[in-house]
Amino acid sequence: MVTIDIPKHYTASPSEGTPHLTINREATVDLDSNNVFEGPEKLLEVWFSASPDALPSSAGPSGLKAVSANEWKDMLDLVNCKVLSVVESDHVDAYLLSESSMFVFPHKLILKTCGTTTLLCGLPRMLEIAALSAGFPHAVPNPSKGVLAAATPYRVFYSRKNFLFPDQQRGPHRSWRDEVRYLDKMFLGGSAYMVGKMNGEHWYLYLTGPATALTPPSTPDTDKDEAAETQTKIMALPVDAAAAGEVADETLEMLMTDLDQGNAKQFYLEHASAVAEGQYFQQAHAAREKAAHSLGVLNGNAGGNGLGRAKANGGRLEDGFDVFGHTSDNDEFTCSDDEGMFPAELATEGHALGTVVADACGLSEVYPDSRYPEARIDAYLFTPCGFSANGVVPAPGRGSGTHYFTVHVTPEPHCSYASFETNVPGRQSGRETAEVVEQVVSIFRPGRFSVTLFEATAGKGAGNDESRSMAASAAKRSARMESIQGYRRIDRIVHDLDGYDLVFRYYERDDWKGGAPRLGEAGT
């Protein structure tokens, strides 16, 4: 169904537990995705405590969610992106950005940006906001010595795929080595990894261990010291890993390139508007037929004879009114003052067409209303093409917590790319990870894609029977991921990180003949 109104569940004064939407109209002016575009995102996740239940007393129960939207917008100015809209809920606020997304939980912040954004340039301001506005513990600032207030993170994760157009990047993002150096200047004891083939599709990761320490202010001597630079470790061979079982924290990320152009056309404004127009006039036609039938009833013809007379008279009631004359198939249809005028919102970029695309492409069915009745999708379609969406997914029934998913699409043939990321636990969705992957893949039909699954490792001390059961369950899930319908798995890399298991898989479509991966920054 086509609708151009803000959905009823988006309210200015939300009831408790109900996500609601705020749209930044000014930021949506003149957005345009013309020219070549770097779809692969930079992803930063900063934790300030281990969980929402472990917030320090100085932070208050809301933690980072107590920070105003304006403060986050100031930080995003340093990143070079704007807020388009915000969906607020009890557990997470989802910001849809001009270049991707941001999610604010009480205890952590996730920022994902594409294009030539300078994501890491916003990190110092992020730590300052966490310290001064959210109340997280921090060192005493000393502006005279260049020491800003900076909250001490619990953990930091930064990752991205190899860029397609690295020469267009700015600031610390010109190479992976530059990004590692930037992060090392901020945090002690970080670890850097490259996952995948150096001469194929690969993925970079930088992370710190629990209880991250900030790097002390630099001195002339430390500035000259290159020996302390974190070296990037290459993870290229599968290793045995213990099953993580059902865990509290997991993130699934799919990075897709070489999209099938028949599927990609769904994310062009012209195509989406045509779909919306067809749906709109189909609904209008059905409404007119219903109205004509009602007129027949009012004229004392409960059996629908009024409508029958209209059909018998060439679609005209006895008073001469043509009930079928104002359809989209009529060449004489005019939009000036007609009630059936096609809404401008469905012919231009924005949230209205974004909603149409989310429904038409099948995205809204990944976490369907039937299981997640409180789930909300905030979507935006760009000019002339491109699509972004955030989903806020409260746990069904009596479950606790609210999770998210986010999707971003660059459909142009020369740089086609789509990403899907979610932290909805597999045990909560009632489906295996492979089922979610297959459903998302069916939307885009990429020539190739990678899947990264992060799972927090289970607590120690489980009984032997429980451990064996968890291992068997994990082995079954892993085996299912080896056979994604229509694709062959090329690489599988498993790594045991500090507190997390990481599984990276790379697939190519069975009938895809696109050649070697595009390596924009091999060897950096």
Side-chain angles (χ1 to χ4, degrees), residues 45-68:
E45 189 165 332
V46 184
W47 293 50
F48 293 95
S49 68
S51 73
D53 298 326
L55 295 175
S57 57
S58 59
S62 297
L64 294 171
K65 276 175 54 62
V67 177
S68 70

Side-chain angles (χ1 to χ4, degrees), residues 38 42 115-117 163 165-171 173-174:
E38 184 69 67
K42 314 165 184 81
T116 57
T117 51
F163 288 134
F165 311 102
D167 56 316
Q168 296 187 4
Q169 294 300 316
R170 298 178 291 173
H173 299 290
R174 291 186 174 89

Side-chain angles (χ1 to χ4, degrees), residues 28 63 78 133 170 198 223 268 285 308 382 388 431 442 491:
T28 62
L78 301 173
S133 299
R170 298 178 291 173
M198 293 183 67
D223 286 340
Y268 281 79
H285 181 76
F382 295 88
S388 287
R431 297 189 297 168
S442 70
D491 287 330

Side-chain angles (χ1 to χ4, degrees), residues 21 29 150 156 163 190 207 290 319 328-329 340 354 357 441 459 488 494 515:
L21 173 74
V29 176
V156 176
F163 288 134
L207 78 164
K290 183 178 179 180
D319 61 1
S328 57
D329 296 329
V357 172
V441 163
R488 59 188 182 277
V494 183

